[in-house]
Amino acid sequence: MNIQSVSFVTSAPGLASCPPAEWPEIAFAGRSNVGKSSLINCLINRKGLVRTSSTPGRTQLLNFFAINDNLYFVDLPGYGFARAPRSVREQWQPMVHGYLKGRSCLRAVVWLLDVRRDPSPEDLRFLDWLEESEIPTIPVVTKVDKVSRNELARRIAKIARSTGLSADLFTPFSVLNRQGSEELWELIALALEPQA
Ligand SMILES: Nc1nc2c(ncn2[C@@H]2O[C@H](COP(=O)(O)OP(=O)(O)O)[C@@H](O)[C@H]2O)c(=O)[nH]1
Ligand SMILES: [Mg+2]
């Protein structure tokens, strides 16, 4: 993808306050700290753009970025942060599920798992929900620089077994050396192609 322009658009508390659904959209989801914001920065080649807009208050909102004035990336609030206040945890599901179900221009969800962790019950619940909702899902394993090549294959096999997805569906990603960036852009481009 040739990136001409990237800009932060807005932080929305829910579907009703999202920007007009005029461009196709890709959302990024996973537990907090899995590497969502880092991965988006890496894909769009803008160190810090997403991080700066993810100051504590904003990590609980839907953060919209405009790419080339024809595509939105959405950094979704993470799940699985045990220490968050109950009110925050209770808001997550209606906000995120409402957005994912209702957003007409959404083409796919990039779903991130940390290569070193077994999928949590929340990860598996979220995947089930995406499948039930028939939302195209692009699985990614993050932080693969933290494991050796052998270990990587073993970890992906284990993660694949526990999710019920085929191991070759997972794109290994690292922001340190940009591993996976081209592959992921190709999968995103595929998801953006008009449906036949
Ligand atoms: N080693 C390594 N660390 C990473 C990678 N991606 C993210 N991190 C680190 O993981 C932590 C959480 O990343 P962040 O993007 O804020 O996660 P988010 O909460 O899902 O948005 C930060 O300290 C990042 O520097 C990666 O590919 N490799
Ligand atoms: Mg983040």
Side-chain angles (χ1 to χ4, degrees), residues 9-32:
V9 179
T10 190
S11 294
L15 181 63
S17 18
C18 291
E22 56 189 343
W23 302 328
E25 192 160 297
I26 302 290
F28 296 79
R31 64 183 295 149
S32 52

Side-chain angles (χ1 to χ4, degrees), residues 32-33 35-38 50-51 54 59 63 75-76 78:
S32 52
N33 228 37
K36 291 179 299 300
S37 303
S38 306
V50 178
R51 192 166 305 284
S54 303
T59 61
N63 290 304
D75 192 9
L76 296 177

Side-chain angles (χ1 to χ4, degrees), residues 1-6 23 66-71:
M1 178 76 61
N2 182 10
I3 296 170
Q4 310 282 348
S5 66
V6 184
W23 302 328
I67 322 276
N68 292 351
D69 286 339
N70 62 15
L71 169 66

Side-chain angles (χ1 to χ4, degrees), residues 9-30 36 40 60-66 71-79 91-111 126 129-130 133-137 192:
V9 179
T10 190
S11 294
L15 181 63
S17 18
C18 291
E22 56 189 343
W23 302 328
E25 192 160 297
I26 302 290
F28 296 79
K36 291 179 299 300
I40 298 174
Q60 290 315 312
L61 298 168
L62 312 165
N63 290 304
F64 285 79
F65 299 87
L71 169 66
Y72 282 124
F73 273 4
V74 185
D75 192 9
L76 296 177
Y79 48 79
Q91 276 161 12
W92 185 89
Q93 182 164 314
M95 178 197 286
V96 173
H97 287 195
Y99 156 78
L100 291 171
K101 274 253 190 217
R103 186 69 167 162
S104 59
C105 57
L106 181 72
R107 293 299 182 79
V109 171
V110 177
W111 180 52
F126 186 62
W129 184 86
L130 288 171
S133 309
E134 299 184 345
I135 295 170
T137 302
L192 293 175

Side-chain angles (χ1 to χ4, degrees), residues 31-38 51 143 145-146 173-176:
R31 64 183 295 149
S32 52
N33 228 37
V34 70
K36 291 179 299 300
S37 303
S38 306
R51 192 166 305 284
K143 310 189 190 183
D145 55 273
K146 301 255 194 193
F173 201 99
S174 168
V175 302
L176 295 196

